[in-house]
Amino acid sequence: MNSSPWWKEATIYQIYPRSFFDSNGDGEGDLPGVTSKLDYVKSLGVDAIWLSPFYTSPNKDGGYDVANPRDVDPRFGNLEDARELITQAHKRDLRVIADIVPNHFSDQHEWFQAALKSKRGSKERERFHFYDANEDGTPPNNWISLFGGPSWTQVEDGQFYLHLFDSSQPDLNWENPEVNADFEKTLRFWIDLGVDGFRIDVAHGLIKEDVLTNHPDPQGLSNALRLDVAMDSEERNALLLTVPYFDRQGVHEIYRKWRKLFDSYTGREIMAVAEAWVHPPVNATRYVRADELHQVFNFDLLTAEFDSDVLFDVVERSISLNATVNALPTWALSNHDSPRVASRIGDEQARALALFVFGLPGSTYVFAGQELGLPDGQLQDSDRQDPTFFRTNGAIKGRDGARVPLPWSGDTTPFGFSTAKPWLPISQGWKDLTIENELADPKSSLHLYKNALELRKEFLVGAGGITWLESSQHGHKSDSLLSYSRGSITVVMNLSDSAAECDAAGKLIIVSGGTVDARDGKKVIPARSTAWFLT
Ligand code: NOJ
């Protein structure tokens, strides 16, 4: 079954180009490296790739510090390589989603360099958020950067500029028409080069309000925004309602304009997905109203415990909230900013959850390496590159663990990723997790993903909504089973540490781990495992 348009229930494979495959032996992945592995990507059964940024960048924040959004950084290749990647992807019927970064530029962007050389109040400074210091010399307000430390940096003439992230990432002023025009140019540039969609970085952050007002609890707010800081959920939720620089109404005007631009490419079905961490969850649906963007990331599964009540809530809420704007949810278990799911909840649990999620309506994102069941890389502090690590003086380790390059083949690190020393070390312990090894093992995580994605396409894409069959929250007693039916498939996940019986009818077509037995007319689902039955 096909769903139309293409993105509606697509499986999208996220590639972090620096960590995917190194074609030129410099220890870093690159665009020709991605192109050379597109047959592998296609063989997974995914519909599209999302490429994390590959634009000209000093790479202070993994390329999310863009110095020229309309060119390719030499570490990744050149524009011709980008064009070839897109052409080769399209030949294989794979769509390409580019990652654009509209909230900030790199301080090496020519605009920012010009702003530094220009006077306060100049049109060059108006493109960013430059303000005078307070009378006592302190920054214009007390906001804390999302990477730690102040979100203001002072320049030579005493003014400060705002950066919600690293000091090398000055925030753009979206009240300025030049900024709007420049981004439209960037969108058109990549659409004209052939991309099929965009992942919009910090989509909720473009418009700032009350820039000259202090926040009553900047440290609390900063902690609330960091998922890796333990906090009482009520306190977190209350603080999240007070963010002065996220989810302002003005962002929606921008996306309405962008939607018109996308739709003007008739026949292309250009899509965009918003990275919008907003609170309360209902606010996320505003980004996918009919005249705005096509998808918004649902990040709940990046942090959800492997617990039936928690997962029931996440799934139910996401489906029902999106339904209010006639949209379908998105699902992601891992990405380049979060611990890998196998490390976070366990290997078997990660497989079970993936199979559970692949049955759900909407679009599924798979972070490269997730299909192998990769854990986070174990790194020494001296290996780390994430600005979060440096801006918190090492208190927060950062996101490098999820970004360790992929192990492709062979018995010795770096497992065919590169002929040189990889930019982050790949543990020798990943020997059994190479693509080569997993392809040879029918019980591997890789085969589970391939088989599941094939079955998903055959039986589930376009199959409508779900009906819950088991969950302690909707009247059933089991606190270890979660089960739903959708189309001709029944999906049963056993979250407990022992086998559990269920009434699911139909023929077993896939199981994430272990063996499903039959007992007294019931099916016995192995511990920490998910099974699909076809009726
Ligand atoms: C979200 C991106 O996913 C992350 O990697 C980046 O550091 C921030 N946005 C800032 O661009």
Side-chain angles (χ1 to χ4, degrees), residues 50 61 64-65 99 101 104 147 165 169 199 201-202 275 277 336-337 399 403:
W50 146 29
D61 180 25
Y64 286 92
D65 47 324
D99 200 328
V101 191
H104 44 265
F147 288 165
F165 296 90
Q169 294 166 295
R199 179 258 187 196
D201 189 64
V202 200
E275 188 218 15
W277 297 82
H336 64 294
D337 290 330
R399 302 159 293 175
R403 301 176 179 179

Side-chain angles (χ1 to χ4, degrees), residues 114-236:
L116 289 181
K117 292 188 196 106
S118 304
K119 294 203 192 66
R120 44 164 48 85
S122 60
K123 78 173 188 8
E124 287 79 3
R125 289 214 173 168
E126 296 276 290
R127 294 162 173 158
F128 300 91
H129 293 276
F130 275 91
Y131 288 92
D132 287 334
N134 291 325
E135 268 173 23
D136 62 0
T138 54
N141 73 22
N142 62 0
W143 297 353
I144 294 177
S145 145
L146 277 99
F147 288 165
S151 42
W152 295 92
T153 291
Q154 196 160 29
V155 299
E156 251 177 34
D157 65 12
Q159 280 208 305
F160 282 87
Y161 67 88
L162 174 71
H163 51 88
L164 292 185
F165 296 90
D166 189 49
S167 56
S168 66
Q169 294 166 295
D171 278 51
L172 284 157
N173 174 12
W174 275 85
E175 309 290 345
N176 184 328
E178 266 194 277
V179 171
N180 285 263
D182 189 72
F183 264 84
E184 294 198 8
K185 200 166 156 192
T186 299
L187 295 172
R188 289 188 188 283
F189 179 89
W190 291 106
I191 297 174
D192 292 342
L193 204 88
V195 307
D196 305 283
F198 297 96
R199 179 258 187 196
I200 304 172
D201 189 64
V202 200
H204 54 318
L206 276 42
I207 299 292
K208 278 84 184 170
E209 284 175 8
D210 302 327
V211 174
L212 294 178
T213 311
N214 280 334
H215 189 273
D217 181 7
Q219 190 56 55
L221 179 60
S222 163
N223 292 344
L225 287 163
R226 304 199 56 89
L227 298 175
D228 47 2
V229 174
M231 196 180 235
D232 170 71
S233 67
E234 267 181 36
E235 189 192 350
R236 187 186 293 272

